[in-house]
Amino acid sequence: MFGQRLFALVRRLIFSRWVRGYEEYHGSCEDACAARLGPLHLEINECLGLDHRDAFITLQPRTPWGVLHLGYVVCLGEDEIRRPGFYCYRFKPIKRSRPAQPMFDMDEPFLF
């Protein structure tokens, strides 16, 4: 009962006029919709071949050590593809290094 209500709430929020960054994906195996509502990332996935639907609510605060993803997944249907419940992980962005400096000046003659 709780899962169905939360799934309906996420669906209603994604298709509301308050969201930004709305995206859709239609593949051969699943359809997905995602959007941002303030600090929350909302996502719905519906599997086409199996009896599975899920909804994600994720809070993504930026920290000095990367982006922290705190969220909850609710799954509906008999075939569970993803694990329902709370999750937490850290996404550490790749630091861009400085461009490589040449070892010698190209204008000077190089003797062998």
Side-chain angles (χ1 to χ4, degrees):
M1 184 73 162
F2 172 72
Q4 292 174 348
R5 289 184 184 244
L6 189 60
F7 187 86
L9 175 67
V10 171
R11 177 182 289 279
R12 189 172 299 130
L13 288 174
I14 285 178
F15 293 112
S16 72
R17 60 186 170 121
W18 300 319
V19 298
R20 62 181 171 86
Y22 176 78
E23 297 177 3
E24 283 187 12
Y25 169 77
H26 300 286
S28 61
C29 296
E30 79 177 344
D31 291 336
C33 301
R36 294 195 60 83
L37 179 64
L40 296 176
H41 176 79
L42 307 170
E43 184 176 346
I44 289 180
N45 301 306
E46 296 183 21
C47 188
L48 302 176
L50 301 171
D51 181 25
H52 177 79
R53 298 180 297 161
D54 56 27
F56 290 81
I57 299 176
T58 308
L59 181 65
Q60 300 173 342
R62 296 192 186 279
T63 62
W65 56 88
V67 180
L68 190 62
H69 294 254
L70 304 166
Y72 186 74
V73 179
V74 61
C75 297
L76 303 177
E78 294 181 16
D79 303 322
E80 283 191 10
I81 298 173
R82 295 174 182 92
R83 175 186 253 174
F86 289 99
Y87 65 93
C88 176
Y89 67 92
R90 177 181 61 125
F91 176 74
K92 185 176 179 181
I94 299 172
K95 290 185 179 181
R96 295 183 182 165
S97 62
R98 291 181 280 156
Q101 300 293 327
M103 294 184 69
F104 55 89
D105 191 11
M106 298 297 256
D107 296 333
E108 294 180 14
F110 184 73
L111 302 174
F112 289 103

